[in-house]
Amino acid sequence: MTVLSPPRAATVDRALRDAQRWCAGHAIDDRPALAHAVRVAVTIGEHVPNPDPDLIAAALLHDIPDFAPGTPDIYQVLAAAYGPQVPRIIAALQAEHRALDMPVPPIRVDDLPVLLASTADKIVALTSLLRRAHASGDVTDFLRRRPALLTLLPHFRAFHQAAHPRLPAAMSARLDTALALLERAATGIQTASRS
């Protein structure tokens, strides 16, 4: 049983249907975008007892602004369908994603629903990245071809350190494990490039 197993809250049912519709034809991490959204929602449910249905809905829909360019104001559409909390969480996650392009991305851990969704998103993305790196047959080469990711590893570690006291222990540990594996592989890249 996962947080998406029936019976589900009506909000989560609606979000799952909307995610299926809006994610159709899009990919994240070389897989259908819906699979990423579902994994983020399920990850929250694995670590947060009885999560708020709005948080699960936001997790399912968190990439929708990227997939709805023809919708004049997707946040108004989301607010009309879900109320204020779901689009607020999604907007915060979108702002965090955009900030990753800044020289020093800010780290916010003061908003618990956003923090939980953001951490779950990172766990899913980094775990998927590790899976794809291992499937490539050459983890070092796979990561060497992603310098932007390597540059962001210290930011992700700083995020984990700031978030750790506010996260469920198992969720924090899961993010730490994914980061540690990537950091170990990145150290190998740095060593290899100095040789």
Side-chain angles (χ1 to χ4, degrees):
M1 297 264 308
T2 74
V3 73
L4 297 181
S5 298
R8 296 183 289 259
T11 300
V12 175
D13 266 339
R14 185 180 327 114
L16 191 53
R17 284 192 307 272
D18 284 345
Q20 289 169 333
R21 180 168 50 94
W22 276 322
C23 288
H26 297 282
I28 295 175
D29 298 333
D30 297 333
R31 287 193 171 175
L34 181 63
H36 173 81
V38 164
R39 284 197 303 269
V40 172
V42 167
T43 298
I44 292 170
E46 289 171 348
H47 299 289
V48 178
N50 302 312
D52 186 318
D54 283 350
L55 175 58
I56 299 304
L60 288 168
L61 300 169
H62 75 278
D63 286 312
I64 297 309
D66 296 330
F67 304 148
T71 306
D73 190 342
I74 190 63
Y75 294 104
Q76 286 181 356
V77 171
L78 290 168
Y82 296 95
Q85 180 76 334
V86 171
R88 184 189 72 75
I89 295 169
I90 293 170
L93 292 174
Q94 287 288 312
E96 183 182 85
H97 289 172
R98 286 191 304 274
L100 293 177
D101 293 330
M102 297 170 62
V104 181
I107 294 173
R108 287 192 55 207
V109 297
D110 56 326
D111 185 327
L112 188 57
V114 173
L115 178 62
L116 293 169
S118 175
T119 302
D121 189 30
K122 287 174 179 60
I123 289 168
V124 170
L126 296 176
T127 302
S128 174
L129 187 76
L130 284 163
R131 177 189 48 76
R132 290 185 294 132
H134 287 290
S136 76
D138 188 339
V139 173
T140 301
D141 184 60
F142 181 91
L143 294 177
R144 185 181 291 122
R145 288 183 281 121
R146 288 158 177 81
L149 167 72
L150 297 176
T151 301
L152 284 171
L153 283 179
H155 166 75
F156 292 144
R157 177 54 71 189
F159 171 89
H160 175 256
Q161 290 170 344
H164 173 72
R166 302 207 64 211
L167 292 173
M171 187 179 224
S172 178
R174 196 157 162 203
L175 178 58
D176 180 55
T177 298
L179 280 169
L181 291 169
L182 282 169
E183 288 163 343
R184 191 173 309 132
T187 299
I189 292 170
Q190 293 162 355
T191 302
S193 66
R194 283 189 221 131
S195 303

